[in-house]
Amino acid sequence: MKTIKSLLLLLFVTLSMQSKAQSYNSYYQQLPVGVAQPKMVTIPNNQVSITEFGGVGDGITLNTEAFRKAISALTKKGGGRLVVPFGVWLTGPIAMKSNIELRVEKNAIIYFSPDKTLYVDKEGKSKRVDPCIKASNAHDIAITGEGIIDGNGAMWRPVKRSKVSDVEWKQFLEMGGVERQNGQLWYPWDMKAAKTNIAEAPEKQEGMRNDLVRFSNCERLLFSGVTFQNSPRFHVHPVNCTDIVMDGITVRCPWNAQNGDAIDLSDCHRALIVNSTVDAGDDGLCMKSGKAKENVKANGCEDILIENNTVYHAHGGFVIGSEDISGMRRIVVRNCRFAGTDVGLRFKSGIGRGGKTEDIYISNIVMSDIAQQAIIFQCDYENRPAGADETKKPVVKKMEMIPEFQGINISEVVCRGAKTGISAHGISGQRCVHNIQISNSHIVYTKTATDIDPATADVKLTNVNLVSQ
């Protein structure tokens, strides 16, 4: 009887996975360019609870070892689902393995410990600490449920005085930490919650902080339903991965969180991001691409479909860059809402960071209360860490890896309340911004309709209505 029940449950799970995959097929109808669909994860029919391995969800007990034991036990069975039930589950970093689903139930919070020593790379190979949740060279990994995963990022992130109120600044000082630059910058150093530091100076320790979720060189990933919040750095960050589905997740952190990117795809192929909500401190839905690597699943970003998502605060709603060295190909963004972002559609790069974009289609985007530009193309972007001297210009040693934003088609954009409608600036003597089509759109601006440099940027506007507010 037990065997029959197990087989029936396995059949139910298999049919559910197939049904889910079939439901995603509808997103791939009537696309303006052929976009390859991601393959779905497969998780074996085994299930355990973190409580079976000594886990205690009281917000006090450290559960790092319980997570390790549970994942190890499932791995020995070929994989399965690890359930995190009601409670607050304090833990150090969690290492995911192939064929594992981490299911965080609705009234469960996985809360990462403020003890920085838990995250130090024990092999000494990385300049950064371990991500809160990590995986490398693995396959078929899922993070699901309706619970919360909290990176406790205030224990890691610097804070600029200009970005917080007097009340908030006092709260940071009460946590511990040190002030720099005549009280204009705060670092989480000698914190009351965890006094142990892991570097000889707060500036160096700040440079060691890592992501909430970082999966490297993996294939078949599923993120569904969970809230990811308060990362030390980026929140959900697949790198050199393939076959990714993000459905109905929420990513949130304070609006002023340093490097608080929400969803970053770095050199990923075949990804679907749908029905998700972002309210973050840096870029919202962001595509990145570094230098090509050998022996990885993917270089460059290609075959990406982003649909039916909402972005509240972010530096950019949808973003390409600042690194796009290995290129961006066949990316479709449609039916999304940006309400309160700094920039709506943001294309940013710079010399030494640039690559070529091809077959980018963006349509049916609504925006409101955009602080700066509704649409911007920027080719002189500079990455400045907290505390950097913003008056100093970087020295360009070689004219290589130059941005080439081209083959970008934007249509059916409606924006109410951007400071500038459309901005585009390339680099003198280079074809950095060309073959850009913007059509059938309505933008209400408060200061400037267009800021397009005709000498360096070729942007064609067709039936674009720009109205002063």
Side-chain angles (χ1 to χ4, degrees), residues 212-213 228 231 233-238 246 249-253 259-265 277-286 311 313-314 316:
L212 178 57
V213 180
F228 300 88
S231 175
R233 190 168 169 263
F234 300 166
H235 286 76
V236 183
H237 191 197
M246 300 185 190
I249 68 171
T250 299
V251 184
R252 59 187 297 269
C253 68
N259 306 117
D261 287 29
I263 297 173
D264 284 4
L265 299 185
T277 301
V278 164
D279 193 350
D282 210 307
D283 289 328
L285 307 168
C286 187
V311 181
H313 185 269

Side-chain angles (χ1 to χ4, degrees), residues 214-456:
R214 182 184 175 101
F215 293 159
S216 301
N217 202 35
C218 296
E219 56 185 337
R220 296 187 296 281
L221 306 174
L222 172 64
F223 303 85
S224 177
V226 174
T227 294
F228 300 88
Q229 66 180 31
N230 290 328
S231 175
R233 190 168 169 263
F234 300 166
H235 286 76
V236 183
H237 191 197
V239 181
N240 299 115
C241 293
T242 65
D243 301 300
I244 303 157
V245 174
M246 300 185 190
D247 185 358
I249 68 171
T250 299
V251 184
R252 59 187 297 269
C253 68
W255 73 270
N256 49 19
Q258 187 76 16
N259 306 117
D261 287 29
I263 297 173
D264 284 4
L265 299 185
S266 293
D267 292 287
C268 291
H269 293 182
R270 299 184 299 280
L272 176 66
I273 303 174
V274 293
N275 310 317
S276 295
T277 301
V278 164
D279 193 350
D282 210 307
D283 289 328
L285 307 168
C286 187
M287 309 291 106
K288 297 178 179 290
S289 173
K291 293 181 180 179
K293 303 175 185 175
E294 295 183 355
N295 303 317
V296 294
K297 303 293 183 184
N299 283 301
C301 282
E302 60 183 55
D303 294 313
I304 313 292
L305 176 56
I306 299 172
E307 184 164 354
N308 194 32
N309 302 290
T310 301
V311 181
Y312 294 110
H313 185 269
H315 285 185
F318 170 74
V319 182
I320 287 181
S322 62
E323 306 91 348
D324 62 344
I325 298 168
S326 294
M328 303 280 165
R329 297 169 287 274
R330 299 184 302 282
I331 299 175
V332 175
V333 183
R334 60 185 187 180
N335 301 320
C336 291
R337 298 153 297 283
F338 307 151
T341 61
D342 290 348
V343 175
L345 301 173
R346 188 182 191 193
F347 305 88
K348 59 173 181 175
S349 193
I351 296 171
R353 291 172 171 265
K356 185 177 182 180
T357 62
E358 306 172 60
D359 292 323
I360 312 296
Y361 290 86
I362 302 170
S363 63
N364 295 99
I365 308 296
V366 293
M367 311 181 196
S368 64
D369 299 322
I370 306 302
Q372 299 298 327
Q373 302 88 358
I375 303 170
I376 186 172
F377 295 88
Q378 178 186 5
C379 297
D380 62 350
Y381 180 83
E382 302 165 13
N383 184 39
R384 295 183 182 276
D389 185 351
E390 297 188 4
T391 65
K392 290 185 178 180
K393 294 290 183 180
V395 177
V396 178
K397 296 181 179 180
K398 294 182 180 180
M399 290 293 288
E400 59 184 13
M401 291 178 281
I402 299 171
E404 187 179 1
F405 292 122
Q406 69 92 42
I408 298 175
N409 304 273
I410 302 171
S411 64
E412 305 295 340
V413 171
V414 178
C415 174
R416 168 77 185 188
K419 184 177 181 181
T420 300
I422 302 169
S423 177
H425 291 259
I427 299 172
S428 180
Q430 304 293 328
R431 296 190 77 216
C432 292
V433 182
H434 67 98
N435 189 22
I436 308 296
Q437 311 285 336
I438 304 176
S439 63
N440 302 324
S441 297
H442 302 267
I443 299 174
V444 179
Y445 63 91
T446 60
K447 186 176 181 180
T448 306
T450 61
D451 177 21
I452 301 173
D453 179 11
T456 61

Side-chain angles (χ1 to χ4, degrees), residues 137 141 153 155 162 164 183 187 198 212 239 260 309 316 375 395 459 465:
N137 301 303
I141 298 175
M155 293 291 124
S162 60
V164 297
Y187 285 98
I198 56 174
L212 178 57
V239 181
N309 302 290
I375 303 170
V395 177
V459 179
N465 189 24

